[in-house]
Amino acid sequence: MKLRFLGTGDSAQVPVYNCDCLACTRAQQDPSWYRRPCSAVIECGDQRWLIDSGRMDLTELFPPGSLNGILQTHYHADHAQGLLHLRWGVNCRIPVYGPEDEKGFADLFKHSGILDFSATWSAFEQRQLGAMQVTAIPLQHSKPCLGYVFSHEGKHIAYLTDTVGLPPESLAYLQTVALDYCIVDCSHPPQDTPPRNHNDLNMALAIGQQLTVKHLVLTHISHKVDTWLMENPETLSDSILLAKDNGMIAV
């Protein structure tokens, strides 16, 4: 399995409009530090699936026939806005799997075009996508939200964003899996008060400590997290990775 990050930012992305903080200045000077809408592509055998669709250039990134489908974590704008354009394609059908959400995003469900939203996922449901098994993991967010565990030949990658901590049943399930990589939401630097809807760095690291995981990977990163890590460069151990746009992990 190979997973490539298409975007690793929060809803404001990096650089943030009109911001001159350390992280935004770095990204303006070095585009390799850009953080676009949080999303990824996972490949296994003949399968290639997009994880979230917040990028607005999906029709350029994925020519017809290059995707088997899309796995949505949820339907907030920064994770789904690219579907508004993609849906108006012709002469093809793209399955979009995600949580059951009556409201969805904008009018996507009413005017779905080439997108097929009919096969929603339930908590801990498992599906076989070619040689890859995928398990839906309930997350804690302000909209119905799922993470996913991707498994193939005894290797496992967890993708867990957007969330603030983990529901007890999801933590219990993940504790039964020896993860090669666990990709987690890290939207805030360490905070004295509990964050809402997204992990701060302390909560993200705590998730890793509660699981059996070789590498914890931080994503959904804000400019404030980037700035804090620039000011505290010795914080992350070698087993903790900071995701970057276009970066890849493989097992």
Side-chain angles (χ1 to χ4, degrees), residues 126-160:
Q126 294 184 336
R127 295 184 188 176
Q128 200 71 30
L129 303 180
M132 178 174 62
Q133 185 183 73
V134 184
T135 306
I137 307 296
L139 301 178
Q140 297 186 138
H141 198 45
S142 55
K143 282 180 76 69
C145 189
L146 294 173
Y148 297 99
V149 173
F150 303 97
S151 304
H152 175 64
E153 294 184 345
K155 302 293 186 179
H156 308 281
I157 299 172
Y159 190 91
L160 310 174

Side-chain angles (χ1 to χ4, degrees), residues 66-88:
S66 62
L67 283 176
N68 294 92
I70 299 170
L71 298 169
Q72 282 293 132
T73 61
H74 65 300
Y75 289 99
H76 272 148
D78 57 319
H79 293 259
Q81 59 196 359
L83 298 177
L84 294 175
H85 181 205
L86 183 63
R87 62 177 166 172
W88 299 126

Side-chain angles (χ1 to χ4, degrees), residues 198-251:
H198 295 277
N199 294 326
D200 70 353
L201 180 59
N202 289 335
M203 296 186 75
L205 297 181
I207 288 173
Q209 292 167 356
Q210 295 175 85
L211 303 177
T212 301
V213 56
K214 292 181 181 178
H215 295 285
L216 187 73
V217 186
L218 307 181
T219 193
H220 209 281
I221 297 164
S222 68
H223 67 143
K224 292 181 180 179
V225 171
D226 269 339
T227 295
W228 193 90
L229 289 172
M230 292 172 73
E231 295 172 339
N232 299 271
E234 305 301 320
T235 300
L236 303 183
S237 68
D238 291 342
S239 65
I240 302 171
L241 307 177
L242 195 64
K244 291 187 70 175
D245 287 23
N246 297 313
M248 182 176 290
I249 60 176
V251 294

Side-chain angles (χ1 to χ4, degrees), residues 12 26 32 34 41 49 55 60 63 68 90 104-105 116 137 143 151 161 172 180 204 236 249:
R26 177 178 64 179
S32 72
Y34 271 42
V41 173
W49 288 78
R55 296 257 319 227
E60 300 169 32
N68 294 92
V90 297
F105 171 59
D116 181 359
I137 307 296
K143 282 180 76 69
S151 304
T161 182
D180 294 275
L236 303 183
I249 60 176

Side-chain angles (χ1 to χ4, degrees), residues 20-35:
D20 60 0
C21 73
L22 287 176
C24 291
T25 299
R26 177 178 64 179
Q28 290 159 2
Q29 296 171 349
D30 180 359
S32 72
W33 284 100
Y34 271 42
R35 297 195 184 279

